[in-house]
């Protein structure tokens, strides 16, 4: 998994595309893994995979549902290690920020989960970075009523320091 992440990050998307049909099912299966170390590493690979799927001229549609589903499952899981929680937040933010139009119906529930994570002391920083990612993309993601909660959390954090 670490090799794949390094490979995806250091090679052109066009050099990776021919291998995705065989690699993606393995990556998505690893995201579902109960072992936290494996799941977190697979989610990091997923983070490196998003720009490859998004590259010009590549049809990512056949892979998106199989990528989104296990990532959402990990995002929803409350009783898992911090590393998995944080990487699932990051991976989902990247996935949604690049493919929001593909997940319009699921977007409100994802935003609700991210809102919950902002209110959690352990996952707040990752969730705030996720909202930053979502709000800074060209194709703006509708964040619903999240802004007051995010501002409140940031304000609270600033008042502590």
């Amino acid at each position: 998994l670490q090799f794949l992440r390094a490979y995806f990050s250091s090679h052109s998307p066009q050099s990776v595309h021919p291998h995705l049909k065989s690699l993606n099912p393995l990556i998505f299966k690893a995201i579902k893994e109960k072992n936290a170390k494996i799941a977190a590493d697979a989610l990091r690979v997923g983070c490196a995979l998003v720009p490859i799927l998004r590259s010009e001229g590549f049809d990512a549609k056949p892979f998106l549902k199989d990528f989104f589903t296990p990532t959402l499952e990990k995002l929803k899981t409350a009783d898992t290690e911090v590393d998995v929680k944080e990487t699932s937040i990051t991976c989902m933010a990247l996935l949604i920020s690049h493919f929001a139009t593909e997940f319009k119906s699921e977007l409100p529930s994802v935003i609700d989960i991210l809102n919950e994570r902002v209110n959690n002391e352990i996952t707040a920083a990752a969730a705030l970075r996720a909202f930053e990612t979502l709000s800074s993309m060209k194709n703006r993601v509708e964040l619903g009523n999240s802004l007051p909660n995010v501002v409140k959390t940031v304000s609270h954090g600033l008042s502590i320091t």
Side-chain angles (χ1 to χ4, degrees):
L1 290 170
Q2 290 173 345
F3 167 77
L4 287 176
R5 184 169 53 130
Y7 185 82
F8 290 173
S9 299
S10 63
H11 287 73
S12 72
Q14 293 74 21
S15 69
V16 177
H17 290 159
H19 309 288
L20 290 180
K21 193 172 185 176
S22 59
L23 288 175
N24 281 350
L26 301 172
I27 295 165
F28 305 152
K29 183 179 178 183
I31 290 173
K32 295 178 188 177
E33 180 66 42
K34 290 185 194 290
N35 179 299
K37 173 98 172 95
I38 293 171
D41 282 345
L43 286 161
R44 284 186 195 91
V45 172
C47 291
L49 180 61
V50 170
I52 290 168
L53 293 175
R54 189 67 200 165
S55 62
E56 193 173 326
F58 184 73
D59 181 19
K61 270 189 180 179
F63 303 111
L64 294 178
K65 184 173 173 34
D66 291 337
F67 188 3
F68 180 85
T69 302
T71 305
L72 182 61
E73 287 172 17
K74 288 296 178 183
L75 182 66
K76 287 180 176 179
T77 304
D79 60 340
T80 189
E81 295 201 19
V82 174
D83 197 21
V84 175
K85 289 178 185 181
E86 290 178 347
T87 52
S88 67
I89 290 168
T90 302
C91 190
M92 182 58 77
L94 286 169
L95 192 55
I96 290 294
S97 67
H98 287 278
F99 298 103
T101 56
E102 302 297 323
F103 302 115
K104 278 186 180 181
S105 63
E106 293 92 346
L107 200 54
S109 64
V110 170
I111 298 300
D112 287 346
I113 295 167
L114 291 175
N115 249 327
E116 290 172 20
R117 300 302 181 256
V118 164
N119 293 324
N120 182 308
E121 186 178 314
I122 294 170
T123 57
L128 289 171
R129 285 190 302 272
F131 278 113
E132 176 188 13
T133 298
L134 293 173
S135 65
S136 66
M137 295 307 295
K138 285 184 218 170
N139 300 327
R140 300 268 178 196
V141 173
E142 180 57 48
L143 299 177
N145 297 325
S146 302
L147 190 58
N149 190 36
V150 170
V151 170
K152 178 181 144 198
T153 303
V154 170
S155 299
H156 178 71
L158 290 173
S159 68
I160 291 174
T161 58

